[in-house]
Amino acid sequence: QVQLVESGGGSVQAGGSLRLSCAASGRALESYAMGWFRQAPGKEREFVAAISWSGSGTYYADSLKGRFTLSRDNAKTTATLQMNSLKPEDTAVYYCAADKWGAGTDDPARYDSWGQGTQVTVSS
């Protein structure tokens, strides 16, 4: 397991953008697939996006394609979720997760390390 730290959450008006970052405390993430999930009040956690450990495969929730982009830097120390054209329904706590040698998946059970979450609030 790795200790993950998210950053970049905050409040924004509808139509705005936010960039979330996920880093591992004290180590690189080069052998980990990274996933982002979110949970809104009163709702179940849902998949947002994932990227394979190699960076060759990226996957998105169908409803978010075209607005969200997940990437990782060349040194694989950070996974970044760029969120554009935000809507009030995107309001949630966003969590990053890591899966050793993973190919990237929407199944939260595959991830064995999770961050504490960062709040994203989109106002209309």
Side-chain angles (χ1 to χ4, degrees):
Q1 293 187 344
V2 294
Q3 186 173 5
L4 301 174
V5 180
E6 302 101 335
S7 61
S11 297
V12 65
Q13 289 190 330
S17 298
L18 283 174
R19 180 177 296 177
L20 306 184
S21 293
C22 178
S25 177
R27 62 182 298 172
L29 293 167
E30 59 186 1
S31 58
Y32 291 85
M34 302 301 297
W36 283 93
F37 294 78
R38 68 185 184 183
Q39 188 166 19
K43 295 187 177 181
E44 294 186 353
R45 181 173 49 187
E46 65 173 347
F47 171 71
V48 174
I51 188 167
S52 65
W53 73 270
S54 65
S56 62
T58 310
Y59 311 94
Y60 300 93
D62 288 343
S63 62
L64 301 177
K65 288 180 181 177
R67 295 196 298 122
F68 288 18
T69 303
L70 178 58
S71 62
R72 60 194 313 165
D73 65 320
N74 289 337
K76 296 190 175 73
T77 59
T78 305
T80 300
L81 182 68
Q82 178 67 42
M83 307 186 296
N84 299 326
S85 302
L86 284 163
K87 305 175 181 180
E89 51 264 42
D90 293 319
T91 295
V93 177
Y94 285 70
Y95 299 90
C96 71
D99 172 21
K100 185 83 170 177
W101 301 118
T105 176
D106 61 357
D107 181 2
R110 291 294 305 272
Y111 297 87
D112 55 12
S113 299
W114 291 82
Q116 293 299 306
T118 186
Q119 176 70 47
V120 170
T121 302
V122 185
S123 58
S124 58

